[in-house]
Amino acid sequence: MLRTAEAGDATAGRVQRLERRLARQVSAREEAESLLEQKSLELYALNCRLTELNAELEQRVRERTAELEAERRHALELAQRDVLTGLHNRRMFREHLESSLQQAGGGGTPAVLAIALDGFKAINDMLGYAAGDEVLKAVGQRLRDCGHNSDIVARLGGDEFAILRPAVGQRRAAAGLADRVLQALRPPLQIRGHVLVVGASIGIALADEEAGCPDRLLQNAAIALYGAKAGGRGGWKLFHPEMDAELQARRALEADLRGALARSEFELMYQPLVDAGHGATTGFEALLRWHRPGRGMVPPGEFIPLAEETGLIRQIGAWVLERSCADAAGWASSIKVAVNLSPVQFQGGTLVGAVRHALAASGLPASRLELEVTESMLLQDTEATLGTLHQLRALGVGISMDDFGTGYSSLSYLQRFPFTKIKIDRSFISGLAQERSSLEIVRAVVSIGRALRMTILAEGVETEEQLRLLRSEGCDEVQGFLLGRPARNTQLLKAACASGSAHSFSMAAVPARVMACSSPAR
């Protein structure tokens, strides 16, 4: 019995131990399952997060790829376009030109128009680069509008533009495009409250066997552009082989011009300004002449535009002021001297000082100096220009509007600017006896001058009939070959002294009555 009981107790103990072990195993398994479930949830959450991160990364990759593509396209655009105007740049223009030359065939010949703005530097100098940029953008838009869809319009740099027409049937088609460009640029621009007229000169080059590569065609267009500028600006020239030699001649002319002042090659001639009523000389207009060694006399129309383009006109103009004032100081006190001013001389703020210096150095009273400005200068309607003219007028000098009626004449100019004289252009005088319209214009200008208390002078008087009509219309002064041809100052003084009169004499060079040699030349 006892053994049976002990055996039962032992069995029970083993059962309990087994139960406890089983309980521990079950608890451990439950803990493991719980931990596994927790880890599974964490792993699932991590996997979800990785999926989100992967999606975000893919989105960022797509966005960055798009950004890089946009940057690539922008860089490509910058490589092909002018940033300011949005036109093609020089590099892209050349590529299009090369492609057009390769494809040229029976459909026509590629043509290049090289375009340079006239007077753009003056706009930059007077109004600033911001205004200049607005002008360039406006010009670029006008060039776009005046061509065909197939035309390639580019800004090559600065104020230089170009148009490529891939195929023109005949030369007159290229000339017609040039005319349309000039017409498109002709209307004034409204820039920051200023009215600006921006003209252009154009060189045209057509592809042929000798100009079948892009660089040669561009060079030919540039040479033709130089020819257009030399021809007076505001027009176009078609390239021809002789222009290359002309360009070399122009460069030689510029080189000689740069040293002409130092070599004392300039000379002043004086043409009389005559009272239309009683015929007495009231003054002389100073006319610049250049004696180029080995080449003789160079016409002013040939070297003055070049002097303006290169900026040499500032130094030359200062010399003209000093020399003419010094010469006039030796004339009778009633005789004035008229000096032409270039628009370039209004740039830089040195003109008033140059005039003041010329008067002080010569001792000439300011009232005996007249400064002549053209309408083209007035079209650059700026406060700086207006202020300069008022400063000059405050010195006591007279201000004349030269070549009146040849530009964009406006009565507002006569009101705003301090003019003392109007000079009627010779184009209206030449047809005075034959064209009633010319007579009516003269009559109207004289009437305006009287109302504004300005002196009216008629240029280019060559016949007695013209003089008679001008007198009858009440013109104050006249000028022209009928009254006297240009003469040197020494000839004037010699004739004046020979006359023995305080107010008149006669000589072949100056047939009008002029002043006496009443005071020695300073």
Side-chain angles (χ1 to χ4, degrees):
M1 265 318 263
L2 182 58
R3 288 180 179 174
T4 302
E6 289 177 352
D9 292 339
T11 300
R14 285 196 298 271
V15 170
Q16 289 177 352
R17 288 195 296 273
L18 289 173
E19 288 178 346
R20 287 195 296 270
R21 183 185 299 175
L22 180 61
R24 286 196 301 272
Q25 289 176 349
V26 170
S27 176
R29 186 180 66 183
E30 289 177 349
E31 288 180 3
E33 289 176 350
S34 176
L35 181 61
L36 180 60
E37 181 180 3
Q38 179 182 351
K39 294 300 182 182
S40 296
L41 291 174
E42 290 177 358
L43 184 60
Y44 175 76
L46 180 60
N47 185 61
C48 291
R49 180 56 182 158
L50 288 175
T51 302
E52 292 176 359
L53 290 174
N54 185 62
E56 290 178 5
L57 181 60
E58 289 179 352
Q59 178 63 26
R60 290 183 181 180
V61 169
R62 286 192 296 269
E63 291 176 353
R64 183 54 182 159
T65 301
E67 290 175 0
L68 291 174
E69 178 61 20
E71 290 176 2
R72 187 191 69 81
R73 288 196 302 267
H74 181 61
L76 183 61
E77 184 76 7
L78 291 178
Q80 297 176 343
R81 297 280 178 177
D82 173 60
V83 177
L84 179 64
T85 63
L87 300 175
H88 291 288
N89 60 16
R90 179 184 290 273
R91 173 186 172 185
M92 201 61 191
F93 184 83
R94 190 188 182 284
E95 290 183 8
H96 280 288
L97 177 57
E98 186 172 14
S99 176
S100 296
L101 290 171
Q102 292 172 353
Q103 299 172 13
T109 299
V112 171
L113 275 66
I115 305 165
L117 304 185
D118 296 334
F120 179 73
K121 185 177 183 301
I123 294 175
N124 267 344
D125 291 343
M126 293 188 289
L127 300 183
Y129 291 107
D133 287 347
E134 291 186 33
V135 169
L136 293 174
K137 287 189 284 187
V139 168
Q141 186 59 51
R142 290 187 179 186
L143 292 179
R144 280 194 196 95
D145 295 340
C146 69
H148 293 167
N149 292 334
S150 61
D151 292 344
I152 302 299
V153 183
R155 178 181 174 225
L156 304 183
D159 64 344
E160 296 181 359
F161 295 82
I163 297 177
L164 165 64
R165 175 151 293 181
V168 293
Q170 296 177 341
R171 294 191 175 194
R172 64 169 175 265
L177 176 58
D179 286 333
R180 286 195 296 277
V181 169
L182 294 175
Q183 184 66 29
L185 297 180
R186 191 163 291 130
L189 294 171
Q190 296 282 348
I191 302 294
R192 301 193 171 201
H194 301 281
V195 179
L196 304 176
V197 174
V198 181
S201 298
I202 302 175
I204 307 173
L206 303 179
D208 55 25
E209 293 182 359
E210 294 183 358
C213 70
D215 293 334
R216 184 55 186 270
L217 194 57
L218 287 169
Q219 181 183 5
N220 289 351
I223 291 173
L225 175 59
Y226 276 113
K229 289 181 177 181
R233 304 184 180 231
W236 57 266
K237 291 284 186 182
L238 182 65
F239 174 81
H240 55 80
E242 293 78 10
M243 280 185 171
D244 200 1
E246 293 174 2
L247 177 58
Q248 299 304 321
R250 177 179 169 84
R251 288 174 176 168
L253 181 71
E254 179 181 339
D256 288 348
L257 184 61
R258 289 187 179 278
L261 193 59
R263 294 189 297 267
S264 301
E265 294 171 3
F266 290 115
E267 179 184 25
L268 291 183
M269 306 287 282
Y270 296 94
Q271 186 173 30
L273 314 178
V274 178
D275 185 287
H278 54 75
T281 296
T282 59
F284 289 89
E285 179 179 359
L287 305 173
L288 183 62
R289 299 291 183 262
W290 177 25
H291 297 277
R292 188 182 179 193
R295 305 297 177 89
M297 190 79 73
V298 182
E302 185 174 339
F303 74 86
I304 292 297
L306 182 59
E308 291 178 328
E309 181 181 333
T310 57
L312 294 172
I313 195 66
R314 294 186 181 91
Q315 293 78 27
I316 296 173
W319 177 86
V320 171
L321 281 168
E322 293 178 10
R323 184 70 266 161
S324 58
C325 286
D327 287 346
W331 305 342
S333 60
S334 60
I335 304 300
K336 299 181 178 182
V337 63
V339 178
N340 292 278
L341 295 179
S342 164
V344 179
Q345 291 176 264
F346 281 80
Q347 303 166 18
T350 61
L351 178 58
V352 176
V355 172
R356 187 182 289 113
H357 172 76
L359 292 172
S362 63
L364 183 75
S367 59
R368 292 179 57 195
L369 174 63
E370 289 183 349
L371 300 175
E372 299 186 1
V373 297
T374 61
E375 288 185 65
S376 60
M377 187 277 294
L378 303 179
L379 292 175
Q380 306 301 335
D381 185 4
T382 68
E383 293 304 318
T385 301
L386 182 61
T388 298
L389 287 173
H390 277 292
Q391 290 181 61
L392 293 171
R393 188 71 188 98
L395 294 178
V397 304
I399 308 291
S400 300
M401 179 189 276
D402 197 11
D403 302 331
F404 183 76
T406 58
Y408 289 84
S409 301
S410 172
L411 295 181
S412 64
Y413 293 148
L414 299 180
Q415 287 182 315
R416 291 190 63 202
F417 292 85
F419 294 114
T420 55
K421 179 183 289 187
I422 298 174
K423 298 186 71 173
I424 305 175
D425 187 68
R426 64 182 64 248
S427 61
F428 300 110
I429 306 304
S430 60
L432 198 59
Q434 298 82 25
E435 302 172 4
R436 181 170 180 80
S437 59
S438 295
L439 183 60
E440 293 296 339
I441 290 173
V442 169
R443 185 173 296 158
V445 175
V446 170
S447 177
I448 292 171
R450 286 175 178 169
L452 298 177
R453 297 181 181 179
M454 296 180 185
T455 301
I456 304 298
L457 183 147
E459 300 179 292
V461 180
E462 298 182 355
T463 69
E464 292 287 350
E465 180 63 12
Q466 291 171 352
L467 180 59
R468 185 189 67 79
L469 290 172
L470 291 169
R471 281 173 173 166
S472 66
E473 294 300 328
C475 190
D476 300 302
E477 294 178 344
V478 287
Q479 178 183 2
F481 287 166
L482 178 67
L483 294 313
R485 293 180 176 272
R488 294 181 175 85
N489 185 52
T490 53
Q491 293 175 291
L492 302 182
L493 295 175
K494 181 179 178 181
C497 293
S499 69
S501 166
H503 298 287
S504 65
F505 69 95
S506 178
M507 60 178 281
V510 188
R513 289 172 290 171
V514 291
M515 74 295 178
C517 183
S518 56
S519 60
R522 290 180 174 83

Coordinates of all heavy atoms in Angstrom, one line a residue, residues 2 111 151 170 186 188 222 344 347 353 394 408 410 416 455 463 489 505:
L2 N 1.8 1.1 0.9 CA 2.7 2.3 1.0 C 3.4 2.5 -0.3 O 3.6 3.7 -0.7 CB 3.7 2.0 2.2 CG 4.7 3.2 2.4 CD1 3.9 4.4 2.8 CD2 5.6 2.8 3.6
A111 N 19.2 85.0 -99.2 CA 19.6 86.4 -99.1 C 19.8 86.8 -97.7 O 19.0 86.4 -96.8 CB 18.6 87.4 -99.8
D151 N 11.2 83.5 -92.8 CA 12.4 84.4 -92.6 C 13.0 84.1 -91.2 O 12.3 83.9 -90.2 CB 12.1 85.9 -92.7 CG 11.7 86.3 -94.1 OD1 12.0 85.5 -95.0 OD2 11.1 87.4 -94.2
Q170 N 14.3 86.9 -107.1 CA 15.1 87.9 -107.8 C 15.6 88.9 -106.8 O 15.2 89.0 -105.7 CB 14.2 88.6 -108.9 CG 13.7 87.7 -110.0 CD 12.8 88.4 -110.9 OE1 12.3 89.5 -110.7 NE2 12.6 87.8 -112.1
R186 N 10.5 103.3 -89.5 CA 10.3 104.7 -89.6 C 9.5 105.4 -88.5 O 9.8 106.4 -88.0 CB 9.9 105.0 -91.0 CG 10.0 106.5 -91.4 CD 9.9 106.7 -92.8 NE 11.0 106.2 -93.5 CZ 11.0 105.4 -94.6 NH1 9.8 105.0 -95.1 NH2 12.1 105.0 -95.2
P188 N 8.0 106.9 -85.2 CA 8.7 107.1 -83.9 C 8.3 106.1 -82.8 O 7.2 105.5 -82.9 CB 8.2 108.5 -83.5 CG 7.8 109.1 -84.8 CD 7.2 108.0 -85.6
A222 N 27.9 92.6 -94.5 CA 28.5 93.6 -93.7 C 29.2 94.7 -94.5 O 29.1 95.9 -94.2 CB 29.6 93.0 -92.7
V344 N 26.0 114.5 -82.4 CA 27.0 113.8 -81.5 C 27.6 114.8 -80.5 O 28.0 114.4 -79.4 CB 28.1 113.2 -82.4 CG1 29.2 112.5 -81.5 CG2 27.5 112.2 -83.4
Q347 N 26.2 114.9 -77.0 CA 26.4 113.8 -76.1 C 27.6 114.1 -75.2 O 28.6 114.6 -75.6 CB 26.6 112.5 -76.9 CG 25.5 112.2 -77.8 CD 25.9 111.1 -78.8 OE1 26.9 110.4 -78.6 NE2 25.1 111.0 -79.9
G353 N 30.5 123.9 -72.4 CA 31.8 124.3 -72.0 C 32.7 124.6 -73.2 O 33.5 125.6 -73.2
A394 N 21.2 130.8 -72.8 CA 21.5 131.6 -71.7 C 22.9 132.3 -71.8 O 23.1 133.4 -71.2 CB 21.4 130.8 -70.4
Y408 N 10.9 115.5 -89.5 CA 9.6 115.4 -88.8 C 9.3 116.8 -88.2 O 9.3 116.9 -87.0 CB 9.5 114.3 -87.8 CG 9.5 112.9 -88.4 CD1 10.7 112.3 -88.8 CD2 8.3 112.3 -88.6 CE1 10.7 111.0 -89.3 CE2 8.3 111.0 -89.2 CZ 9.5 110.4 -89.5 OH 9.5 109.1 -90.1
S410 N 7.8 119.8 -86.5 CA 6.6 120.0 -85.6 C 6.7 121.4 -84.9 O 7.7 121.9 -84.5 CB 6.7 118.9 -84.4 OG 5.7 119.2 -83.5
R416 N 8.9 124.6 -77.8 CA 9.7 124.1 -76.6 C 11.2 124.5 -76.7 O 11.8 124.8 -75.6 CB 9.7 122.5 -76.6 CG 8.3 122.0 -76.3 CD 8.4 120.5 -76.0 NE 9.3 120.2 -74.9 CZ 9.9 119.0 -74.7 NH1 9.8 118.1 -75.6 NH2 10.7 118.9 -73.6
T455 N 13.8 135.0 -86.7 CA 14.3 135.4 -88.0 C 14.2 134.3 -89.0 O 14.4 133.1 -88.6 CB 15.8 135.8 -87.9 OG1 16.0 136.9 -87.0 CG2 16.4 136.2 -89.3
T463 N 18.9 132.3 -108.0 CA 18.4 133.1 -109.1 C 17.8 134.4 -108.6 O 17.4 134.5 -107.5 CB 17.4 132.4 -110.0 OG1 16.2 132.2 -109.2 CG2 17.9 131.0 -110.4
N489 N 38.8 133.2 -94.8 CA 38.8 134.4 -94.0 C 39.7 135.5 -94.5 O 39.5 136.7 -94.4 CB 39.1 134.0 -92.5 CG 39.0 135.2 -91.6 OD1 37.9 135.9 -91.6 ND2 40.0 135.5 -90.8
F505 N 31.4 146.2 -99.7 CA 32.5 146.2 -100.7 C 32.1 145.1 -101.7 O 31.1 144.4 -101.6 CB 33.9 145.9 -100.1 CG 34.0 144.5 -99.6 CD1 34.6 143.5 -100.4 CD2 33.5 144.1 -98.3 CE1 34.7 142.2 -99.9 CE2 33.7 142.9 -97.9 CZ 34.2 141.9 -98.6

